[in-house]
Amino acid sequence: MNTPSQFWDQRYGESGFSFGDRPNVFLEQQQHRLRGGMAALVPGDGEGRNGVWLAEQGLDVMTVDASIKGVEKARAFAAARRVAIDARQADLMAWDWPVAAFDLVVSIYLHFPEAGRRAVHRHMAAALKPGGLLILEGYTPRQLAHRANGSVGGPPDVTMLFEPDTLREDFSALEMLELAE
């Protein structure tokens, strides 16, 4: 069985962008919450589409991904778009997460098994400066029914998906501005 980094290296080793070169739509819809100069962390940013977009908005961006192929593509994408990002390769489960270092953490479709999810979510919250903002989009277990009907996306393991109540619990130390399904 492949490790997550091997899985994503294989996926990102193909030509082009696996998820396109446009930022996530939900992230774009949050543009009104962003301010130039914010320090942003984008864990699991893959080929860099979200981190590069944030840098284009004037943010100081660090992206972290398990895939070296994704990190290399993110660096090249940022250079092609003439923006700077600090793209790093690391296993988020073992990474030494910064504490109180970021104004913004962006988690787009980043899923882990339950115990790992809780740990990563704790690290995300702790990485925020006081008053910092977390933007997260992920799949609920209902995605499995959509997959059965031909939709793509999301892990096939229900334990890696989450409900709104799961997020309320994982991020109970944060004030919720918006939580929608």
Side-chain angles (χ1 to χ4, degrees):
M1 184 169 167
N2 285 349
T3 66
S5 62
Q6 290 170 325
F7 172 86
W8 290 110
D9 277 347
Q10 183 176 0
R11 177 91 183 249
Y12 297 145
E14 298 173 8
S15 64
F17 289 90
S18 292
F19 300 103
D21 63 358
R22 297 284 314 140
N24 171 270
V25 171
F26 177 70
L27 177 58
E28 275 187 306
Q29 292 170 348
Q30 305 307 307
Q31 185 174 17
H32 67 281
R33 300 182 191 276
L34 308 178
R35 296 178 321 280
M38 292 175 86
L41 173 63
V42 188
D45 196 31
E47 298 162 311
R49 68 188 182 122
N50 296 313
V52 167
W53 181 79
L54 290 166
E56 290 173 336
Q57 308 312 302
L59 280 69
D60 179 17
V61 178
M62 176 190 293
T63 69
V64 182
D65 199 88
S67 168
I68 191 62
K69 300 276 188 193
V71 168
E72 290 167 352
K73 280 180 137 176
R75 290 173 179 155
F77 185 39
R81 297 295 279 265
R82 293 190 165 93
V83 294
I85 63 169
D86 177 1
R88 301 178 182 198
Q89 189 275 330
D91 174 350
L92 292 170
M93 296 297 300
W95 188 47
D96 186 16
W97 287 74
V99 175
F102 298 97
D103 302 298
L104 174 69
V105 173
V106 174
S107 174
I108 304 295
Y109 298 121
L110 184 58
H111 292 269
F112 293 92
E114 185 176 4
R117 182 204 76 238
R118 287 184 180 138
V120 168
H121 285 179
R122 274 193 310 274
H123 288 303
M124 285 181 195
L128 288 169
K129 294 176 184 176
L133 178 67
L134 170 69
I135 296 175
L136 182 148
E137 183 171 30
Y139 290 109
T140 72
R142 281 158 296 294
Q143 180 63 13
L144 296 179
H146 297 301
R147 285 177 63 100
N149 291 324
S151 179
V152 296
D157 180 353
V158 70
T159 67
M160 295 178 73
L161 308 173
F162 34 81
E163 298 281 358
D165 284 343
T166 306
L167 295 176
R168 280 187 195 92
E169 182 180 318
D170 286 358
F171 296 106
S172 62
L174 303 180
E175 174 188 355
M176 294 278 178
L177 300 179
E178 178 181 352
L179 179 61
E181 181 178 348

mmCIF file of all heavy atoms in Angstrom, residues 4 7 26 39 46 52 63 171 180:
data_model
loop_
_atom_site.group_PDB
_atom_site.id
_atom_site.type_symbol
_atom_site.label_atom_id
_atom_site.label_comp_id
_atom_site.label_asym_id
_atom_site.label_seq_id
_atom_site.Cartn_x
_atom_site.Cartn_y
_atom_site.Cartn_z
ATOM 1 N N PRO A 4 0.720 8.163 1.990
ATOM 2 C CA PRO A 4 0.095 9.358 1.404
ATOM 3 C C PRO A 4 1.050 10.137 0.492
ATOM 4 O O PRO A 4 0.647 10.590 -0.583
ATOM 5 C CB PRO A 4 -0.312 10.179 2.632
ATOM 6 C CG PRO A 4 -0.558 9.143 3.689
ATOM 7 C CD PRO A 4 0.499 8.089 3.430
ATOM 8 N N PHE A 7 1.252 8.271 -2.798
ATOM 9 C CA PHE A 7 -0.006 8.438 -3.539
ATOM 10 C C PHE A 7 -0.043 9.793 -4.237
ATOM 11 O O PHE A 7 -0.310 9.897 -5.434
ATOM 12 C CB PHE A 7 -1.202 8.295 -2.592
ATOM 13 C CG PHE A 7 -2.518 8.630 -3.238
ATOM 14 C CD1 PHE A 7 -3.217 7.666 -3.951
ATOM 15 C CD2 PHE A 7 -3.054 9.915 -3.140
ATOM 16 C CE1 PHE A 7 -4.439 7.977 -4.557
ATOM 17 C CE2 PHE A 7 -4.265 10.235 -3.739
ATOM 18 C CZ PHE A 7 -4.958 9.255 -4.448
ATOM 19 N N PHE A 26 -14.809 28.152 -2.772
ATOM 20 C CA PHE A 26 -15.163 28.628 -1.437
ATOM 21 C C PHE A 26 -14.110 29.597 -0.907
ATOM 22 O O PHE A 26 -14.445 30.625 -0.316
ATOM 23 C CB PHE A 26 -15.342 27.449 -0.469
ATOM 24 C CG PHE A 26 -15.647 27.865 0.940
ATOM 25 C CD1 PHE A 26 -16.869 28.433 1.269
ATOM 26 C CD2 PHE A 26 -14.708 27.703 1.947
ATOM 27 C CE1 PHE A 26 -17.155 28.833 2.574
ATOM 28 C CE2 PHE A 26 -14.979 28.101 3.254
ATOM 29 C CZ PHE A 26 -16.208 28.667 3.564
ATOM 30 N N ALA A 39 -0.221 36.778 7.353
ATOM 31 C CA ALA A 39 0.597 35.564 7.284
ATOM 32 C C ALA A 39 -0.363 34.379 7.173
ATOM 33 O O ALA A 39 -1.216 34.193 8.039
ATOM 34 C CB ALA A 39 1.468 35.428 8.522
ATOM 35 N N GLY A 46 -0.947 20.854 -1.980
ATOM 36 C CA GLY A 46 -0.661 20.147 -3.224
ATOM 37 C C GLY A 46 0.172 20.964 -4.188
ATOM 38 O O GLY A 46 1.272 21.406 -3.866
ATOM 39 N N VAL A 52 -0.852 30.050 -4.068
ATOM 40 C CA VAL A 52 -0.465 31.036 -5.077
ATOM 41 C C VAL A 52 -1.527 32.123 -5.175
ATOM 42 O O VAL A 52 -1.212 33.321 -5.227
ATOM 43 C CB VAL A 52 -0.195 30.360 -6.444
ATOM 44 C CG1 VAL A 52 -0.106 31.383 -7.563
ATOM 45 C CG2 VAL A 52 1.081 29.517 -6.368
ATOM 46 N N THR A 63 3.039 27.159 2.337
ATOM 47 C CA THR A 63 2.258 25.966 2.050
ATOM 48 C C THR A 63 3.075 24.750 2.465
ATOM 49 O O THR A 63 4.302 24.767 2.414
ATOM 50 C CB THR A 63 1.878 25.850 0.554
ATOM 51 O OG1 THR A 63 3.045 25.595 -0.228
ATOM 52 C CG2 THR A 63 1.192 27.113 0.058
ATOM 53 N N PHE A 171 -12.807 22.316 16.805
ATOM 54 C CA PHE A 171 -12.391 23.716 16.872
ATOM 55 C C PHE A 171 -13.155 24.483 17.945
ATOM 56 O O PHE A 171 -13.415 25.680 17.814
ATOM 57 C CB PHE A 171 -12.556 24.383 15.503
ATOM 58 C CG PHE A 171 -11.664 23.790 14.445
ATOM 59 C CD1 PHE A 171 -12.183 22.975 13.456
ATOM 60 C CD2 PHE A 171 -10.296 24.029 14.462
ATOM 61 C CE1 PHE A 171 -11.357 22.419 12.486
ATOM 62 C CE2 PHE A 171 -9.464 23.479 13.505
ATOM 63 C CZ PHE A 171 -9.997 22.667 12.506
ATOM 64 N N ALA A 180 -21.330 26.035 7.574
ATOM 65 C CA ALA A 180 -22.426 25.647 6.695
ATOM 66 C C ALA A 180 -22.125 24.297 6.082
ATOM 67 O O ALA A 180 -20.974 23.895 5.923
ATOM 68 C CB ALA A 180 -22.608 26.690 5.589
#
